[in-house]
Amino acid sequence: MSKKKQSEEELLQTLGDFTSKENWDKFFTIRGSDDSFEWYAEWPQLKDPLLSHLSSTAPPSDPASEPPQPPPPPLQILVPGCGNSRLSEHLYDAGFHGITNVDFSKVVISDMLRRNVRSRPDMRWRVMDITSMQFPDGSFDAILDKGGLDALMEPELGPKLGKMYLTEVKRVLKSGGKFIGLTLAESHVLGLLFSKFRFGWKMSIHVVSQKPSNKPSLLTFMVVAEKESSTVLHQITTSFARSSLDLNGNQARGLYEAIENENRIRREYSNGSDLIYSLEDLQLGAKGDLLELSQGRRFQLTLGEYEGSRFSYRAVVLDARQMTEPFLYHCGVFLVPKTRAHEWLFSSEEGQWMVVESSKAARLIMVLLDTSHTNASMDDIQKDLSPLVKRLAPANNNTGAQIPFMIAGDGIKQRKIVHQVTSTLTGLITVEDVVYENVDGKVSHLVPSKALLFRRLTFQRAEGLVQSEALLTREGGTQKIVSETERKKSISSSKSRKKGNQKKIDSLAIHGSSNNLKVYHNYLASSYHMGIISGFMLISSYLESVASTGRTVKAVVIGLGAGLLPMFLHGCMPFLDIEVVELDPVILNLARNYFGFCEDKHLKVHIADGIQFVRGVAADGVSGKHVNNDAQCDAECPSSNGSCTASHAERKVISKFDILIIDVDSSDSSSGMTCPAADFVDESFLLTVKDSLSDQGLFVVNLVSRSRAIKNMVVSRMKAVFSHLFCLQLEEDVNEVLFALRTEDCIKEEQFGEAAVELEKLLSWDRNDLPGKSKPPEMSQIIGDSTEKIKCLK
């Protein structure tokens, strides 16, 4: 190695940080003004390609025009981060006199000015930070970067300075102008270049010839990005064959992979794929004019990543599909907490349009929060987002209008976590006592206390879904009951959600001892549970005939939850023999310990897979592991707490079902179907269900989905299997309860009223082994209202 080459490398090592002004001042002071330093390539290798690209940038003149036109003004060229390279001098001597050189080192600018002031008087030199340049927009025809971007993009420093620099480059370059950058084409540099020069730019990449050398070295590439007035997406082109670069190993492979990936992204953008834009892309017109509302327009973007905000955000912008509706807001922001961002309502396009309709906003900016926002308050997030969302707002005559912020909440005023446990099958499970923020105005005269207290069961895997909900009463006290149709919750996905005139409720001391609280089993807090029971009127004649002869009806519930539905049925329909199938033994323990669930000879629990349990009955096989509270079982399994898990556990063959209820959630909340799991509505399982039902049997499915397409799919499958199908759509709810009958003979819709009366007569609350013996108020009205909404689908 020559002494000069060795001294250059040693000098460069003293820099350490290429972005430090002080380091570069020291570098140029030591090196001196006459000893130029060239990054990557020297003039003999750059002359031909540079002059070719710059000459094609200059506006053409017409010497034959009459009268003769004055010559065009000289091409304005910016050389950012010029250092003491002789590149500008060579370009000046080649006829390009409109050159402005900038560098943040006063030392090198002073040296270069002294060196050129007499021989090149039109050349300009400015001390300036290239990430914040003091030039008007559209000042230059060409910008020539000789390694400046590479220096700013040191991997340990991150992309911030590079982003700021390219933003300035795009601003000061004229339309039709060219950015010409020399680079080693490292992946992190190309990633930034490609994304920043995507919309409204035509890009090509060329290899710079190398000086003859016996030692292989890294290639230098010339990236040329031409600024266009349109936002057309162009494929990136190259002027060299891949085979010509194969000798350069990883560098060549990395370049080609980056180009292929970027061209694939550009094709997907051109094909309308749902990709994520930057705010800069959108302001360039990637999705049309943002100042105008465009009916049904939807796109995803990142906010804050390049704008210097505290956080970055993933957002979806949606312009209402129907612009004729009266809107409450011209533009609104809807925040989705990270615990709910995975839900179908917020993660799918169909669900997002539903949120738009309910928000009454002409343009809705839905912001999906993630783990990076965990420690930030909603006030902090709103302050950080406010300047960003203003840039996405459509033009409005009322320019002073504030953009409202909404949030997907759960409507809870007070919450006390009673117990948490992690199950290997279900994950984290929470039992909590809650008071809701708003209740219907009628509550004030129905409930003596100033608030209703509810106990809820929730799973972390579906935090927006309330698995079970029970009304709590105080031991020894009396309390009137209000149905869930008189309680208003927020947009939170729960198993029941109703509208009503809202009234603020006073605070309840929820944080004291809960020892004197008990679950009231004569009342079902979830309206879909009452909907399930109202569907029993479809077989009320059969139920009455069985009950009147002292026989029992075989009912099976797949999915225990907190055990509220089985306990209610056990209390009001003593002629039912109820079998509950639950996969997770942890759920059974929670139901017993926190929701007052208890078994007896007419109410048993099986720890088993629900699908296998039904298939076993359909094939006249063994149902599964039997759980009971018999004295013999307790004696033989003293530590089982009522659950027979030893090898001697009783196994029992169950006769066909008269009633089969599917009430289980799906572990995949992003699938669009919250309840049940997809396997429970698979056609093969539905056929198994049909085989497991008695001739007069009733099959009930609690279907929870906001997707009409998914609901239609489930209905279509059930129609194909069962002779008769009915549905109950709960008002303003995501639940749809489906009822299927095996029998060919079926009740007529005009007989529903009479059947509802017959069902109501079958309901009884006279069992001595359950708390509360009086009939809950308004039960007849609730059942009557629900039966009126049951519709025949087949």
Side-chain angles (χ1 to χ4, degrees):
M1 180 184 294
S2 68
K3 289 185 177 180
K4 179 180 179 181
K5 185 70 174 177
Q6 184 177 1
S7 64
E8 282 182 355
E9 292 186 357
E10 291 174 350
L11 195 56
L12 274 176
Q13 289 175 1
T14 67
L15 279 174
D17 179 4
F18 286 162
T19 66
S20 169
K21 174 182 175 299
E22 291 74 18
N23 285 354
W24 280 112
D25 282 344
K26 180 180 177 181
F27 175 86
F28 289 121
T29 300
I30 294 173
R31 191 174 185 90
S33 61
D34 293 328
D35 189 7
S36 64
F37 178 77
E38 302 295 342
W39 286 90
Y40 298 160
E42 298 187 15
W43 179 248
Q45 289 77 47
L46 296 175
K47 177 180 178 181
D48 289 343
L50 267 183
L51 295 183
S52 174
H53 286 297
L54 291 174
S55 298
S56 63
T57 304
S61 58
D62 185 5
S65 62
E66 293 291 342
Q69 298 294 316
L75 202 67
Q76 295 301 307
I77 301 174
L78 174 68
V79 182
C82 60
N84 66 357
S85 167
R86 294 189 181 276
L87 178 63
S88 298
E89 298 167 352
H90 290 304
L91 285 173
Y92 190 97
D93 296 344
F96 296 95
H97 290 186
I99 301 175
T100 299
N101 302 274
V102 300
D103 202 292
F104 65 177
S105 172
K106 291 182 181 179
V107 173
V108 77
I109 291 295
S110 297
D111 287 348
M112 295 300 286
L113 180 59
R114 284 194 297 268
R115 193 167 87 185
N116 289 283
V117 66
R118 291 187 176 88
S119 58
R120 299 175 182 88
D122 294 332
M123 188 118 74
R124 293 177 293 278
W125 304 87
R126 299 280 300 275
V127 177
M128 192 177 294
D129 182 352
I130 63 174
T131 67
S132 180
M133 293 186 275
Q134 286 79 56
F135 297 117
D137 294 356
S139 297
F140 297 98
D141 299 289
I143 297 177
L144 178 55
D145 176 292
K146 194 164 182 269
L149 179 62
D150 283 12
L152 292 176
M153 290 286 288
E154 285 294 298
E156 61 270 18
L157 299 177
K160 181 178 180 181
L161 293 176
K163 293 174 182 176
M164 294 170 65
Y165 167 51
L166 290 185
T167 297
E168 285 292 272
V169 165
K170 295 169 72 172
R171 182 183 65 81
V172 301
L173 193 62
K174 295 178 181 177
S175 179
K178 291 179 180 178
F179 169 79
I180 303 173
L182 299 179
T183 176
L184 296 179
E186 293 178 279
S187 60
H188 63 288
V189 176
L190 292 178
L192 181 63
L193 269 172
F194 291 165
S195 63
K196 294 289 277 186
F197 291 113
R198 185 172 285 155
F199 293 95
W201 296 84
K202 189 174 182 179
M203 182 178 286
S204 58
I205 301 178
H206 316 269
V207 65
V208 176
S209 60
Q210 296 177 291
K211 289 194 300 183
S213 172
N214 295 327
K215 181 180 179 180
S217 60
L218 292 174
L219 291 171
T220 298
F221 295 92
M222 180 180 291
V223 177
V224 181
E226 183 176 351
K227 187 175 183 179
E228 297 185 326
S229 56
S230 71
T231 58
V232 175
L233 270 172
H234 297 281
Q235 293 284 286
I236 298 173
T237 61
T238 61
S239 62
F240 49 85
R242 179 167 186 171
S243 58
S244 66
L245 304 182
D246 282 346
L247 294 177
N248 292 276
N250 292 335
Q251 188 189 20
R253 284 194 297 273
L255 172 65
Y256 262 98
E257 287 176 2
I259 293 173
E260 289 173 358
N261 287 338
E262 176 63 17
N263 281 338
R264 175 184 54 79
I265 291 172
R266 295 184 179 209
R267 285 192 297 272
E268 290 176 349
Y269 271 123
S270 299
N271 295 334
S273 299
D274 194 14
L275 299 181
I276 299 176
Y277 296 83
S278 69
L279 184 57
E280 189 174 17
D281 292 337
L282 297 167
Q283 290 175 327
L284 286 170
K287 295 298 287 185
D289 188 355
L290 292 183
L291 294 177
E292 299 292 331
L293 289 168
S294 178
Q295 185 171 321
R297 175 170 54 185
R298 174 188 175 276
F299 54 85
Q300 298 188 75
L301 74 154
T302 54
L303 283 173
E305 188 175 6
Y306 305 144
E307 291 81 26
S309 65
R310 181 178 172 187
F311 302 105
S312 63
Y313 307 89
R314 183 167 69 90
V316 185
V317 175
L318 304 106
D319 287 350
R321 292 189 287 191
Q322 298 295 330
M323 289 296 178
T324 56
E325 298 181 5
F327 296 106
L328 291 178
Y329 312 111
H330 196 62
C331 181
V333 179
F334 191 89
L335 301 177
V336 182
K338 69 178 182 65
T339 55
R340 303 199 59 196
H342 64 283
E343 293 178 22
W344 179 88
L345 182 64
F346 308 114
S347 63
S348 71
E349 182 173 348
E350 185 181 353
Q352 290 165 2
W353 284 119
M354 290 182 176
V355 177
V356 174
E357 292 171 9
S358 64
S359 72
K360 300 297 182 185
R363 172 173 293 171
L364 188 69
I365 305 168
M366 183 181 293
V367 180
L368 301 160
L369 304 181
D370 56 36
T371 52
S372 67
H373 311 111
T374 300
N375 297 323
S377 68
M378 284 301 168
D379 286 342
D380 291 339
I381 288 173
Q382 184 170 340
K383 289 176 184 176
D384 194 46
L385 273 172
S386 290
L388 301 176
V389 296
K390 286 179 180 177
R391 299 165 71 178
L392 290 169
N396 189 353
N397 292 331
N398 185 8
T399 55
Q402 293 289 321
I403 298 177
F405 279 72
M406 298 165 271
I407 186 168
D410 54 13
I412 293 175
K413 185 174 184 177
Q414 296 182 51
R415 172 189 277 112
K416 177 184 177 182
I417 294 178
V418 177
H419 182 72
Q420 284 187 319
V421 63
T422 299
S423 162
T424 56
L425 292 175
T426 308
L428 181 65
I429 307 170
T430 299
V431 178
E432 60 185 2
D433 291 348
V434 302
V435 175
Y436 289 103
E437 291 212 3
N438 297 296
V439 295
D440 190 271
K442 291 182 286 185
V443 175
S444 57
H445 70 268
L446 288 171
V447 181
S449 63
K450 294 183 177 181
L452 291 174
L453 184 58
F454 293 87
R455 178 160 292 175
R456 312 196 318 175
L457 180 71
T458 62
F459 300 162
Q460 185 183 51
R461 71 187 187 191
E463 290 188 79
L465 183 74
V466 180
Q467 301 291 332
S468 298
E469 184 170 41
L471 178 67
L472 294 179
T473 60
R474 299 200 176 271
E475 197 77 53
T478 58
Q479 181 155 5
K480 292 185 179 180
I481 311 303
V482 57
S483 72
E484 188 184 10
T485 59
E486 297 156 352
R487 185 172 79 252
K488 174 66 179 179
K489 299 181 186 176
S490 73
I491 198 168
S492 154
S493 292
S494 64
K495 288 193 174 181
S496 301
R497 181 162 44 85
K498 296 299 179 186
K499 65 180 179 179
N501 296 322
Q502 296 182 18
K503 175 182 176 180
K504 285 284 184 180
I505 61 176
D506 295 331
S507 176
L508 177 70
I510 194 174
H511 298 290
S513 172
S514 59
N515 292 336
N516 63 337
L517 294 174
K518 62 189 299 186
V519 170
Y520 188 75
H521 283 291
N522 282 0
Y523 167 69
L524 287 174
S526 296
S527 60
Y528 87 94
H529 277 161
M530 288 308 303
I532 287 174
I533 294 173
S534 68
F536 287 9
M537 66 91 182
L538 294 167
I539 59 169
S540 60
S541 295
Y542 173 68
L543 297 178
E544 196 280 331
S545 67
V546 173
S548 64
T549 59
R551 293 177 292 141
T552 58
V553 171
K554 182 67 66 178
V556 173
V557 180
I558 307 293
L560 175 66
L564 303 174
L565 178 60
M567 286 292 284
F568 184 87
L569 290 172
H570 186 40
C572 70
M573 291 186 167
F575 54 87
L576 293 182
D577 263 344
I578 304 171
E579 308 270 355
V580 184
V581 184
E582 172 57 50
L583 183 64
D584 192 343
V586 174
I587 298 295
L588 175 58
N589 290 332
L590 291 175
R592 287 170 173 164
N593 297 334
Y594 296 96
F595 292 88
F597 179 77
C598 56
E599 306 102 302
D600 63 18
K601 62 181 180 179
H602 294 291
L603 175 56
K604 300 181 177 68
V605 177
H606 298 265
I607 299 300
D609 179 282
I611 290 178
Q612 296 303 321
F613 183 94
V614 174
R615 285 178 176 160
V617 172
D620 293 327
V622 176
S623 62
K625 187 163 42 181
H626 179 208
V627 180
N628 59 40
N629 286 326
D630 292 344
Q632 180 183 358
C633 176
D634 291 341
E636 295 176 356
C637 299
S639 62
S640 68
N641 194 25
S643 179
C644 293
T645 58
S647 59
H648 66 268
E650 177 187 356
R651 305 183 74 83
K652 179 183 178 182
V653 177
I654 298 181
S655 60
K656 289 196 172 185
F657 312 136
D658 296 307
I659 299 172
L660 175 59
I661 300 170
I662 305 295
D663 187 20
V664 295
D665 79 314
S666 170
S667 60
D668 181 11
S669 60
S670 65
S671 66
M673 187 162 59
T674 308
C675 296
D679 289 345
F680 284 95
V681 289
D682 183 79
E683 186 174 354
S684 64
F685 177 71
L686 296 177
L687 290 168
T688 300
V689 167
K690 185 176 181 181
D691 290 339
S692 71
L693 289 175
S694 65
D695 291 341
Q696 301 297 321
L698 174 68
F699 177 48
V700 185
V701 177
N702 175 37
L703 176 61
V704 182
S705 175
R706 296 181 185 272
S707 170
R708 176 44 55 188
I710 289 176
K711 288 183 176 181
N712 290 342
M713 177 269 291
V714 174
V715 167
S716 176
R717 288 181 180 178
M718 293 185 68
K719 281 183 175 180
V721 172
F722 294 97
S723 302
H724 300 282
L725 186 65
F726 301 83
C727 75
L728 169 61
Q729 177 65 61
L730 299 172
E731 183 181 1
E732 274 199 4
D733 210 333
V734 297
N735 293 70
E736 186 168 318
V737 185
L738 298 174
F739 307 94
L741 295 174
R742 178 177 180 174
T743 179
E744 295 295 333
D745 298 326
C746 181
I747 186 174
K748 307 299 181 185
E749 285 194 66
E750 56 268 21
Q751 299 172 314
F752 282 4
E754 180 181 343
V757 173
E758 190 172 25
L759 173 63
E760 202 260 327
K761 290 178 181 178
L762 288 169
L763 301 178
S764 168
W765 285 268
D766 294 330
R767 295 182 62 83
N768 294 322
D769 54 343
L770 287 175
K773 300 179 184 179
S774 61
K775 181 178 179 181
E778 302 183 343
M779 196 61 67
S780 299
Q781 180 182 345
I782 295 171
I783 293 176
D785 289 346
S786 294
T787 54
E788 289 178 1
K789 297 172 185 174
I790 294 177
K791 305 297 180 186
C792 180
L793 300 180
K794 178 183 177 184

